[in-house]
Amino acid sequence: MESKTKAIALPKKKAWDINFSYLSITILVMKLLVTGFMGYYLVIGIANNEINFDSTFLLFIVAGFVAQMIDGALGMAYGVSCTSFLLSLGVPAKLASASVHTSEIFTTGVSGLSHIRFKNIDKQLFFKIVITGVIGASLGAYLLSDIFDGNLIKPYISIYLLFLGVYIFSKAFKKRNDGEPKTKYASTLAFFGGFMDAIGGGGWGPIVTSNLLSQGHSPRHTIGTVNTAEFFVTYFATAVFIFVLGVQHLDIVLGLVIGGVLAAPFGAYLASKINAKVLLIMVSSLVIITSIWGILQAFVF
């Protein structure tokens, strides 16, 4: 009697089955590389008296702290807040976006590690948005640096986000649908969000987080996932900015980094503790306010 043996089929390992520790190590290694690179230019800047540690520098720290607290807890508004502040000080749009994205490498890195620590990540959703987000941001950074004026399209994005914010606000008061959230267009959405983020100096969070929440995704895991993916989106956008524009305004970058890094763990902690309904109300309110402000800046002021 012959014994028959059956081959055991091993399940295929998907990208989102990767352990969180590998993702954390990748973020740490990438942060170390950019820290060494920026540290070199920082030492040169201090030696040449190109960095002034005055009252304006303190404002950069405060701006970075406040913006990252909001971004870490609600998944948006770091770029929008910081870019608006820098533009009000007369910093050119290209350099403002480049400075904000450079500082975001550090703040989103710490924020991403914090969200991983508090288990705020949906790994499947993460891999759906991170690759196309990086491609979109890199393309947007190149166009803004060399060809395109991002201010032309920003008002129309603000109008779109205003309607989206109102829709999310209404969802906070509706009975939650326990069905599977939609992820069909997540990759396309991430490409658009990354592109607009680089073009306008902000927009990844409002565009990606808002749309995913409107499709029924968990507020806590959406915010954590989008924040963590933003590190990689920002990293490659900054690489393009540095390649085309070089390293400039280190005082702005350093101030935003100090404030943002201090705030990042607190923002991630808040996102893990705040009630889902409250998060939806806070996110939608922020989207509505920033959208109205963007519209007023474009068509009134």
Side-chain angles (χ1 to χ4, degrees):
M1 182 176 168
E2 291 182 26
S3 60
K4 296 182 179 180
T5 58
K6 293 183 178 180
I8 300 175
L10 296 175
K12 292 183 178 179
K13 192 175 182 65
K14 297 180 179 179
W16 51 82
D17 290 333
I18 294 175
N19 192 287
F20 277 138
S21 61
Y22 295 122
L23 186 57
S24 299
I25 291 171
T26 301
I27 292 175
L28 285 171
V29 170
M30 293 175 72
K31 277 172 65 68
L32 286 173
L33 289 173
V34 78
T35 298
F37 178 80
M38 295 304 298
Y40 170 75
Y41 282 97
L42 184 61
V43 170
I44 294 176
I46 294 175
N48 295 333
N49 294 319
E50 295 175 356
I51 300 177
N52 297 314
F53 298 99
D54 52 13
S55 57
T56 305
F57 182 75
L58 293 176
L59 287 177
F60 295 147
I61 295 176
V62 173
F65 185 90
V66 174
Q68 185 56 45
M69 277 291 290
I70 297 171
D71 190 87
L74 303 183
M76 65 183 69
Y78 180 89
V80 173
S81 302
C82 290
T83 303
S84 299
F85 174 74
L86 295 180
L87 291 176
S88 70
L89 294 178
V91 178
K94 293 180 181 180
L95 297 180
S97 184
S99 298
V100 169
H101 278 84
T102 304
S103 67
E104 279 188 305
I105 289 179
F106 299 91
T107 57
T108 56
V110 175
S111 182
L113 292 172
S114 301
H115 280 297
I116 292 172
R117 165 66 179 80
F118 293 114
K119 296 182 170 60
N120 297 341
I121 310 292
D122 180 334
K123 285 190 283 187
Q124 183 174 354
L125 179 61
F126 173 83
F127 284 102
K128 282 182 178 291
I129 66 176
V130 68
I131 297 174
T132 53
V134 164
I135 295 172
S138 300
L139 177 61
Y142 173 73
L143 292 177
L144 179 64
S145 300
D146 209 35
I147 301 172
F148 195 64
D149 182 4
N151 292 324
L152 294 176
I153 197 171
K154 284 178 68 176
Y156 303 99
I157 297 299
S158 295
I159 294 172
Y160 161 71
L161 289 174
L162 174 60
F163 285 103
L164 190 60
V166 173
Y167 176 69
I168 295 172
F169 187 83
S170 68
K171 283 182 69 70
F173 298 95
K174 293 181 181 179
K175 185 177 179 182
R176 182 173 173 81
N177 184 6
D178 294 327
E180 192 72 21
K182 301 174 183 177
T183 57
K184 185 177 180 180
Y185 301 108
S187 297
T188 304
L189 177 65
F191 175 86
F192 180 66
F195 180 82
M196 289 311 306
D197 186 80
I199 287 288
W204 169 259
I207 292 172
V208 181
T209 301
S210 300
N211 276 279
L212 291 176
L213 288 177
S214 72
Q215 293 175 13
H217 289 268
S218 157
R220 169 187 169 184
H221 292 95
T222 298
I223 290 169
T225 303
V226 173
N227 261 248
T228 305
E230 187 176 14
F231 167 77
F232 297 92
V233 170
T234 299
Y235 197 97
F236 287 94
T238 302
V240 174
F241 277 125
I242 290 175
F243 179 78
V244 179
L245 300 175
V247 178
Q248 302 182 47
H249 284 286
L250 284 172
D251 52 339
I252 298 176
V253 175
L254 183 60
L256 295 179
V257 167
I258 292 173
V261 168
L262 289 174
F266 298 105
Y269 176 77
L270 286 175
S272 69
K273 296 297 181 182
I274 299 177
N275 177 271
K277 181 177 180 180
V278 175
L279 272 178
L280 283 176
I281 294 173
M282 293 173 70
V283 169
S284 60
S285 299
L286 184 60
V287 172
I288 291 170
I289 292 170
T290 54
S291 299
I292 292 175
W293 177 245
I295 294 169
L296 290 175
Q297 283 185 310
F299 298 112
V300 179
F301 299 139

